[in-house]
Amino acid sequence: CFFFLMIRRPPRSTQSRSSAASDVYKRQVSTQSTWATLAPGKVLPMNILSEIASRIASDGPLDDIFNLFTSLESQIRNEQVQHDELYAKQQVECSGERSFREKEIADATNAINLATDEKNAAAVSLSQNQQQLETNVKSQADVSGLIKDLEEQRAAANAVYKRRNAEYNEALNTINEGHHMLQELYTGSASLIDLNRVAVKMFKGAVNLRITHYYVAVIGALAQIAQKADLLVDANILNRVEELFKRLQETLAQAIQEED
């Protein structure tokens, strides 16, 4: 009769940081090495099978052949028990290794998720900062344009101020000239031409300054003097015109302060 004997080998263990089962399995590279490791000092199953075949071929005693089969079965069962124990040990180690790797994968997945969230948050922040930068650039351009307009307005106002100041100074100088002209009229050293020249300058100053109503009384008084054929001016007329000149001078000085 024939016996088909199958010996179950443990599965190959996965590589790990410290897998004793894998190291043991790597050392069991053949059936003989496995047997020598698991049953040191015993006869190898292949040798028993050879002995059985020899006894059968020589018509040896059946009891001896039966005993050889019994010995072979016992050794195979013992080896299977040891293989089962080794397999169970490997299963425990593989389960621990699997749990460890699954935890590493879970930790790595969480790290990736956190990094992805941070990346998305950084992208949103970058977009907001870019929009804010564009807004700031536009605001800066607007402010620069406003500053330019204000500088142009200031330059124009400064030019107007200088022109008006020159006109006021010219008007004050004309009044001073009128004072001097009155003294010359009183002494008889001034002429009608001098009187007309001062009156014309005053009128032009009044028009430039747009305050002709302030000059009405003075120009009227000078016109009355010009109507005299001899240009003789008594003290009363002189005092009256002098008073008008003084008031006009005070009015112009006040107007200059108000514009400043």
Side-chain angles (χ1 to χ4, degrees):
C1 72
F2 298 93
F3 296 90
F4 297 92
L5 304 176
M6 298 181 62
I7 301 174
R8 184 177 62 185
R9 295 179 62 83
R12 183 177 299 273
S13 175
T14 58
Q15 294 295 326
S16 66
R17 67 194 192 296
S18 57
S19 178
S22 177
D23 295 339
V24 172
Y25 182 74
K26 287 180 180 179
R27 291 196 298 268
Q28 298 172 359
V29 295
S30 66
T31 304
Q32 292 181 352
S33 64
T34 303
W35 181 262
T37 302
L38 297 176
K42 293 185 178 181
V43 181
L44 296 177
M46 293 302 298
N47 294 339
I48 296 177
L49 288 175
S50 297
E51 182 66 22
I52 291 174
S54 176
R55 295 291 180 90
I56 293 175
S58 63
D59 292 330
L62 291 178
D63 288 341
D64 292 343
I65 295 173
F66 179 78
N67 289 335
L68 288 172
F69 272 116
T70 301
S71 177
L72 177 61
E73 180 185 9
S74 175
Q75 291 186 20
I76 291 174
R77 289 184 181 277
N78 290 335
E79 182 182 359
Q80 185 64 50
V81 169
Q82 295 181 25
H83 273 294
D84 290 343
E85 291 176 353
L86 179 60
Y87 175 76
K89 181 179 179 181
Q90 289 178 333
Q91 287 293 98
V92 172
E93 291 180 351
C94 289
S95 177
E97 183 69 15
R98 179 176 179 178
S99 298
F100 175 78
R101 297 302 180 190
E102 287 178 348
K103 184 178 182 301
E104 284 188 333
I105 293 173
D107 293 341
T109 301
N110 291 334
I112 291 174
N113 292 335
L114 290 175
T116 302
D117 293 341
E118 291 179 356
K119 177 183 177 182
N120 294 335
V124 172
S125 178
L126 176 61
S127 177
Q128 293 175 348
N129 290 337
Q130 289 176 342
Q131 293 177 359
Q132 185 63 42
L133 177 61
E134 293 175 358
T135 301
N136 292 341
V137 170
K138 184 178 181 302
S139 298
Q140 184 177 6
D142 294 341
V143 171
S144 298
L146 181 59
I147 292 175
K148 183 179 179 181
D149 293 341
L150 291 176
E151 288 178 346
E152 292 177 353
Q153 293 176 10
R154 183 177 64 181
N158 190 39
V160 171
Y161 171 77
K162 289 182 178 180
R163 178 175 57 81
R164 296 283 289 179
N165 191 54
E167 291 173 349
Y168 276 117
N169 288 331
E170 180 65 21
L172 292 174
N173 291 334
T174 302
I175 292 174
N176 292 331
E177 187 177 353
H179 280 292
H180 183 68
M181 186 269 301
L182 288 178
Q183 296 295 331
E184 290 180 346
L185 283 177
Y186 185 74
T187 59
S189 60
S191 65
L192 181 61
I193 295 175
D194 296 326
L195 180 63
N196 289 334
R197 178 176 54 78
V198 172
V200 170
K201 288 180 66 174
M202 285 189 174
F203 181 76
K204 287 182 177 179
V207 172
N208 290 334
L209 294 175
R210 297 182 180 85
I211 52 174
T212 54
H213 54 287
Y214 293 149
Y215 283 79
V216 172
V218 174
I219 294 175
L222 293 178
Q224 289 179 1
I225 294 175
Q227 290 175 1
K228 292 181 176 291
D230 53 5
L231 290 180
L232 295 177
V233 181
D234 58 25
N236 292 331
I237 296 177
L238 179 62
N239 291 334
R240 177 171 175 272
V241 176
E242 285 284 352
E243 182 65 25
L244 291 175
F245 275 144
K246 183 178 179 181
R247 291 180 183 177
L248 180 58
Q249 194 172 19
E250 292 175 353
T251 301
L252 290 178
Q254 184 178 357
I256 292 175
Q257 293 179 356
E258 291 176 356
E259 290 203 4
D260 290 343

